[in-house]
Amino acid sequence: MKTIIEPFKIKSVEPIQFTTEAERHDVLRKAFFNPFLIHADDVLIDLLTDSGTSAMSAKQWAGILDGDEAYAGSRSFFRFEKAVRALTGLKHIIPTHQGRAAEKIIFTIMGGKGKVIPNNTHFDTTRANVEFSGAEAVDLPTDEGKKPDLIADFKGNMNIPALKALIERVGPRNIPLCMITITNNSGGGQPVSMANIRETKQLLKQHDIPLFLDACRFAENAFFIKKREPGYSDKSAASIAREMFSHADGCTMSAKKDAFVNMGGFLALNDDSLAVNARNLLIVTEGFTTYGGLAGRDLEAIAQGLEEIVDEHYLTYRIRSVEYLGQKLVGGGVPIVEPPGGHAIYLDAKRFAPHLRPDQFPGQAIVCELYRAGGIRSVEIGSVMFGKYDSAGKLFSPPMELVRLAIPRRVYTQSHIDYVIEVVLDVFARRNQLKGFRIVEEAPVLRHFTAKFEPLAS
Ligand code: F0G
């Protein structure tokens, strides 16, 4: 088989900044060892997130110029609505400025004290919005999904027996909706199978509980189904995506991922009275129903992006380029979550730096060293992001300590990725010298964004 190449030519470029190790040492110190506090100009390869960092196509930029900025009834809204409806088949399409705004709306209406929201794994903003409403966010990953070194096709799946047990324990009336996150971001960017979506829906239907998809990376999930699930190899990614949505009663979407845009999102759902409430709240917090916190040009770019994302040359390149990074790291002995996910490679910090305890934040130690050694920005997904304290102030850690190398869409070429591989292998060779961290300042929610750290002496 020939090399799978980038299915695009580069028309417009942006220089990246080179810094020395000494300069980066200083940058890190001034940013309190938190990559979110680093000036992006001081980053060489930015793998902090794949969200809002994609390269738009010429046609998307053309849409930006062509956007209709009418306050109400904009032509761009109708193009956007048509594209989202063609994809999801859902009745009410409500634009929001990004994914978490859709989450805020849905959980304000459906969440609240005493309510329980299950999800295969909540993303951090989803969990925060559920909890902010007073409801409880319950993660129900499968046992396979919790084992970073286990190779399986659909490690993002919902744990259906656990969901059944939860419904029996708390009662269906206390579960206003159930979510499935595709792909499962916090669980390693792992896909969810069609069978799992279908069976989850069947169980929920018996109890009249609606199923919502957190659909940020729906196209990557659809492509994994095509490649891995029996019966789907001849179907197009677009038709697989439509089938996934056909099981859902609604979805939240951050278009900053699988629609290639820098900003945007939506809430889509079938229930008429829920849609009335959602639109009323939208008007209060986001904007009128035909723009919802976005400019008309953004809606154009989303509509175009949703068409491009299901192109199979793109998806083949996308999934292969992430897999390439994963395979080279595994080849060098680096422990990662296997198999590689759709949008990112997750280093397994527990096995990478086993001499550091979770309360010494091994993931943060790796994040800082990748930046210091190579100017690569990544993010910890472990005890910094999800750690909680008990009443005695003792840290409760999540099951996995990960470092995410998220790959922006259509932005970096293979030589950028080869450089990333070299830096990770270099840091891995020196892993025994990595020092832990302690937190010196933190916010009560989503602390990873602003926390300040101090390196431990030994
Ligand atoms: N759900 C998932 C699964 C996500 O990954 C994100 C964002 C959101 C919801 C919220 O969307 O950012 O548009 O408000 N994930 C980004 C990331 C930030 O880096 O993984 P948003």
Side-chain angles (χ1 to χ4, degrees):
M1 200 167 77
K2 297 211 172 62
T3 303
I4 293 167
I5 58 170
E6 285 83 1
F8 48 81
K9 296 185 286 183
I10 298 169
K11 191 179 213 138
S12 175
V13 297
E14 189 182 350
I16 50 179
Q17 301 282 348
F18 288 84
T19 46
T20 63
E21 267 192 46
E23 284 166 345
R24 292 193 294 268
H25 186 81
D26 208 36
V27 168
L28 261 183
R29 209 174 34 80
K30 287 191 182 133
F32 300 96
F33 302 93
N34 183 341
F36 285 101
L37 305 181
I38 294 176
H39 198 304
D41 278 351
D42 294 325
V43 175
L44 186 66
I45 308 251
D46 205 346
L47 307 184
L48 183 67
T49 181
D50 63 320
S51 180
T53 52
S54 300
M56 289 210 291
S57 66
K59 280 196 176 162
Q60 283 182 293
W61 283 111
I64 292 276
L65 213 60
D66 194 37
D68 175 5
E69 302 304 339
Y71 189 97
S74 137
R75 175 184 74 239
S76 300
F77 170 75
F78 294 112
R79 182 177 173 204
F80 158 86
E81 186 187 43
K82 196 170 159 210
V84 177
R85 191 169 291 134
L87 167 71
T88 64
L90 294 163
K91 190 169 169 194
H92 301 284
I93 315 294
I94 301 171
T96 59
H97 81 272
Q98 63 183 95
R100 71 197 68 181
E103 293 165 2
K104 170 83 175 138
I105 290 172
I106 199 70
F107 294 121
T108 301
I109 298 169
M110 298 182 87
K113 217 169 159 33
K115 300 283 194 270
V116 178
I117 316 288
N119 197 325
N120 47 349
T121 310
H122 289 84
F123 182 65
D124 60 356
T125 61
T126 324
R127 171 171 286 279
N129 273 301
V130 169
E131 290 175 352
F132 190 74
S133 82
E136 187 191 347
V138 178
D139 289 341
L140 300 174
T142 58
D143 290 340
E144 277 184 347
K146 284 184 265 186
K147 293 185 190 132
D149 51 345
L150 184 121
I151 297 185
D153 285 341
F154 292 105
K155 288 172 76 179
N157 278 353
M158 167 70 82
N159 186 335
I160 295 175
L163 177 61
K164 198 160 186 236
L166 180 80
I167 296 170
E168 276 161 23
R169 184 166 62 78
V170 305
R173 259 182 287 123
N174 294 317
I175 305 181
L177 76 155
C178 170
M179 282 198 118
I180 296 184
T181 303
I182 52 172
T183 57
N184 189 342
N185 185 8
S186 308
Q190 300 292 321
V192 177
S193 72
M194 191 73 82
N196 188 258
I197 297 174
R198 193 186 317 117
E199 284 161 26
T200 303
K201 173 64 188 172
Q202 279 163 1
L203 170 63
L204 295 171
K205 205 169 170 187
Q206 291 165 20
H207 301 282
D208 267 339
I209 301 170
L211 172 64
F212 273 61
L213 296 179
D214 176 342
C216 303
R217 300 179 180 88
F218 73 92
E220 289 166 8
N221 200 87
F223 197 67
F224 278 121
I225 289 176
K226 181 180 171 90
K227 290 285 152 197
R228 297 180 182 173
E229 193 160 345
Y232 287 94
S233 60
D234 293 339
K235 299 203 167 136
S236 69
S239 74
I240 296 170
R242 283 193 292 274
E243 185 178 334
M244 288 176 344
F245 283 105
S246 74
H247 298 297
D249 302 284
C251 75
T252 56
M253 169 83 186
S254 168
K256 298 169 73 173
K257 284 83 167 173
D258 273 358
F260 296 116
V261 294
N262 305 121
M263 191 50 72
F266 54 84
L267 172 66
L269 39 82
N270 278 335
D271 186 281
D272 294 336
S273 70
L274 202 56
V276 169
N277 288 337
R279 287 197 172 106
N280 287 339
L281 199 53
L282 184 86
I283 291 173
V284 178
T285 58
E286 290 277 296
F288 185 63
T289 55
T290 60
Y291 73 86
L294 293 169
R297 56 180 172 267
D298 298 325
L299 296 167
E300 282 289 334
I302 295 172
Q304 178 63 30
L306 287 176
E307 283 173 29
E308 292 176 13
I309 200 86
V310 288
D311 176 83
E312 299 206 1
H313 290 295
Y314 163 73
L315 284 168
T316 302
Y317 140 80
R318 169 71 174 164
I319 299 302
R320 173 61 196 146
S321 57
V322 175
E323 184 187 56
Y324 172 84
L325 169 60
Q327 281 175 349
K328 294 277 175 172
L329 294 181
V330 170
V334 179
I336 66 165
V337 175
E338 290 195 77
H343 67 294
I345 291 297
Y346 295 68
L347 307 178
D348 180 358
K350 272 190 188 169
R351 284 183 292 148
F352 195 115
H355 61 291
L356 298 176
R357 297 189 314 262
D359 65 349
Q360 297 173 320
F361 306 123
Q364 198 69 16
I366 298 168
V367 165
C368 287
E369 191 53 21
L370 290 177
Y371 176 73
R372 203 197 57 79
I376 297 167
R377 179 155 69 167
S378 55
V379 67
E380 194 263 15
I381 301 196
S383 286
V384 174
M385 191 180 272
F386 289 121
K388 291 251 154 92
Y389 299 108
D390 67 10
S391 53
K394 189 173 168 300
L395 180 80
F396 272 125
S397 291
M400 295 196 272
E401 301 289 338
L402 305 175
V403 171
R404 187 180 73 174
L405 306 172
I407 315 296
R409 293 167 184 78
R410 307 191 288 210
V411 170
Y412 293 116
T413 63
Q414 187 168 338
S415 61
H416 290 116
I417 296 300
D418 284 335
Y419 170 83
V420 171
I421 293 161
E422 286 163 16
V423 174
V424 177
L425 292 180
D426 166 46
V427 172
F428 185 63
R430 297 182 283 106
R431 62 193 178 280
N432 297 338
Q433 295 155 31
L434 288 172
K435 300 236 166 45
F437 281 89
R438 68 184 195 91
I439 294 180
V440 290
E441 210 180 296
E442 62 182 292
V445 281
L446 298 174
R447 66 173 174 181
H448 53 287
F449 289 125
T450 52
K452 295 181 178 170
F453 298 84
E454 202 172 74
L456 296 171
S458 58

